[in-house]
Amino acid sequence: MPSFARRVASFGTTIFTEINQLAAQHQAVNLGQGRPDFDGPPEIIDAAVRALHSDTANQYAPSPGLPELREGIARHAGVFYDLDVDPNAGVIVTAGATQGIFSAIMGLIDPGDEVIIIEPYYDSYVPGVQMAGGKPVYVPMHPPAWTFDADELRAAFSHSTRAIILNTPNNPTGRVYTRAELQLIADLCIEYDVIVISDEVYEHLIFEGHQHVAIASLDGMFERTVTVGSAGKTFGMTGWKIGWVYGMPELVTGVWRAHQFITFAANHPTQAAVAYAFTLGNSYYEEYQALYSHKRELVMQVINAAGMSAIQPEGTYFIMGDFSEVFDGNDVEFCKYLIEQIGVATIPPSAFFSEKHRKHAENHVRFAFCKSDETLERAAERMRRLRT
Ligand SMILES: Cc1ncc(COP(=O)(O)O)c(C=O)c1O
């Protein structure tokens, strides 16, 4: 009997699919997946509707992306990070950041290359590297502060290292890397001539007192970095699956060569709407941050209601709750218990670590707080049951 390729034999079902199914079965309040339960701004949706009726947007978009969207992405990188991005040769619009990351991996990594992955990681990185024939080399962040150890990072670099994949602001820890942390990574990348695939999809989800630093903006880094963004995250439209990759044309050409044969071009009408979204200006990002600062307070109430502890996230809409005071077992067992007995769904973060480093996360669960206030209040109410 024919069967699937060895390449995918170890992949299994993603943890999100598993948790979503279990949550639906038990009608749990779902704080699992980073999937907002409300829409992004109506004026951006209106722009998509206009595009659908414009007679120009219902056929293939240009393969690298709509020119006005590539210009918006380049302009945004100039305004926020002082980067000089070429909208024609230095930007590719992709089917979400996930495809941007995959295209970057396929376009920049050769079989046998080592790729450093900082853990916990977004779960597409490792299968992507494996499908390219690369070898993941893991560097864990450590609880409770979720920082990486400089010596462990240094030890991961060698002359076989081709690339490092990093994510700041970080899902699931809520950490925002400091300039000093990024400088350490940058110095090692320059010393070992390493490419950075920088996943910055939460670049605008930053809380007071913290600043997102784009690693491409550090001295000597633009020429060795491709930066990945997402309209799903920045404009609250995860279902549109529009993302992008930008950087120096020399590297972006590799990303584009892969992109052409993975999907050729991303969804056209929503690209037009995202181009419009990039014209909204600073007030949009300020309102977005205010909305999530409020939701961060509500999710802290969810954690406190349960008698759990957590460090306030510095960015993103995720928080890692430590359940060691309230439950005896590992993260997968606690997630199942929460869904089945308490009626709240979360994600076990051990899924975002290599086998060797799973223990770092085994007392934690990840809550997503991109949810309506009512959803978060309902979750807090249910979590109180944990104390009784
Ligand atoms: C760190 C990180 N990178 C990438 C993505 C994927 O973004 P997109 O939905 O645009 O593919 C996510 C989504 O949760 C994420 O958390």
Side-chain angles (χ1 to χ4, degrees):
M1 263 265 282
S3 185
F4 44 68
R6 284 193 297 280
R7 188 182 300 118
V8 298
S10 66
F11 291 174
T13 311
T14 80
I15 190 68
F16 304 107
T17 309
E18 271 179 44
I19 293 290
N20 282 340
Q21 278 168 359
L22 198 62
Q25 210 178 312
H26 292 272
Q27 284 150 23
V29 178
N30 199 341
L31 305 190
Q33 196 177 11
R35 179 185 194 277
D37 61 359
F38 51 92
D39 273 340
E43 65 265 42
I44 304 181
I45 297 173
D46 289 344
V49 173
R50 280 198 302 279
L52 284 166
H53 290 295
S54 67
D55 276 350
T56 59
N58 292 318
Q59 310 302 338
Y60 294 125
S63 172
L66 275 191
E68 59 268 38
L69 176 52
R70 283 186 274 135
E71 273 155 28
I73 292 163
R75 197 173 52 244
H76 174 275
V79 169
F80 284 94
Y81 312 119
D82 204 18
L83 295 173
D84 187 11
V85 174
D86 177 347
N88 297 314
V91 183
I92 304 293
V93 178
T94 55
T98 308
Q99 189 237 318
I101 293 159
F102 186 58
S103 301
I105 291 170
M106 294 307 276
L108 300 172
I109 286 160
D110 282 317
D113 285 343
E114 290 190 3
V115 180
I116 297 173
I117 296 178
I118 302 184
E119 307 165 277
Y121 47 72
Y122 177 57
D123 66 342
S124 81
Y125 302 165
V126 174
V129 169
Q130 288 169 339
M131 283 192 273
K135 184 170 168 266
V137 174
Y138 300 102
V139 175
M141 295 203 272
H142 296 265
W146 300 111
T147 47
F148 54 79
D149 179 88
D151 290 334
E152 285 178 348
L153 180 72
R154 208 168 285 119
F157 277 81
S158 77
H159 291 291
S160 307
T161 311
R162 177 66 166 264
I164 178 167
I165 308 182
L166 59 92
N167 167 226
T168 181
N170 184 262
N171 168 15
T173 63
R175 271 300 319 286
V176 175
Y177 290 172
T178 61
R179 188 175 286 275
E181 285 172 310
L182 290 168
Q183 191 62 57
L184 177 66
I185 297 171
D187 291 345
L188 287 163
C189 288
I190 292 169
E191 184 181 338
Y192 287 93
D193 197 19
V194 164
I195 295 170
V196 180
I197 299 174
S198 186
D199 178 346
E200 300 180 17
V201 298
Y202 300 103
E203 61 192 313
H204 285 292
L205 246 175
I206 292 283
F207 300 113
E208 215 183 316
H210 300 280
Q211 190 202 352
H212 172 59
V213 177
I215 193 165
S217 68
L218 301 184
D219 276 355
M221 291 307 290
F222 185 61
E223 54 265 45
R224 58 180 63 255
T225 302
V226 291
T227 303
V228 180
S230 167
K233 307 300 175 183
T234 296
F235 301 112
M237 308 289 191
T238 61
W240 289 7
K241 291 300 286 186
I242 295 293
W244 50 86
V245 181
Y246 67 77
M248 281 284 265
E250 285 73 3
L251 294 179
V252 170
T253 299
V255 181
W256 180 55
R257 287 187 181 184
H259 167 78
Q260 291 181 96
F261 299 112
I262 295 171
T263 183
F264 180 71
N267 181 292
H268 193 155
T270 50
Q271 284 196 56
V274 177
Y276 166 79
F278 271 111
T279 66
L280 290 177
N282 272 357
S283 61
Y284 168 73
Y285 303 110
E286 284 159 15
E287 280 165 30
Y288 179 70
Q289 285 166 3
L291 174 81
Y292 277 102
S293 297
H294 170 66
K295 293 191 183 299
R296 182 177 66 158
E297 280 168 28
L298 293 182
V299 83
M300 287 308 287
Q301 287 170 21
V302 174
I303 307 260
N304 293 336
M308 293 168 62
S309 60
I311 293 182
Q312 273 214 338
E314 300 163 348
T316 79
Y317 42 54
F318 301 107
I319 183 166
M320 292 276 256
D322 181 335
F323 60 81
S324 41
E325 291 292 315
V326 296
F327 186 81
D328 202 13
N330 68 25
D331 60 337
V332 176
E333 287 159 354
F334 185 56
C335 276
K336 288 199 173 137
Y337 174 79
L338 273 187
I339 293 174
E340 290 166 1
Q341 307 299 325
I342 306 294
V344 175
T346 59
I347 296 286
S350 57
F352 308 134
F353 280 87
S354 62
E355 193 84 43
K356 190 172 156 207
H357 297 136
R358 273 201 182 142
K359 59 179 183 308
H360 291 284
E362 66 190 8
N363 291 334
H364 290 80
V365 282
R366 187 197 76 173
F367 294 84
F369 55 94
C370 46
K371 308 292 171 180
S372 70
D373 291 3
E374 297 70 43
T375 306
L376 292 168
E377 280 154 11
R378 208 143 42 88
E381 218 161 88
R382 291 188 178 192
M383 290 298 273
R384 260 178 222 115
R385 291 187 212 155
L386 258 177
R387 284 172 179 266
T388 53

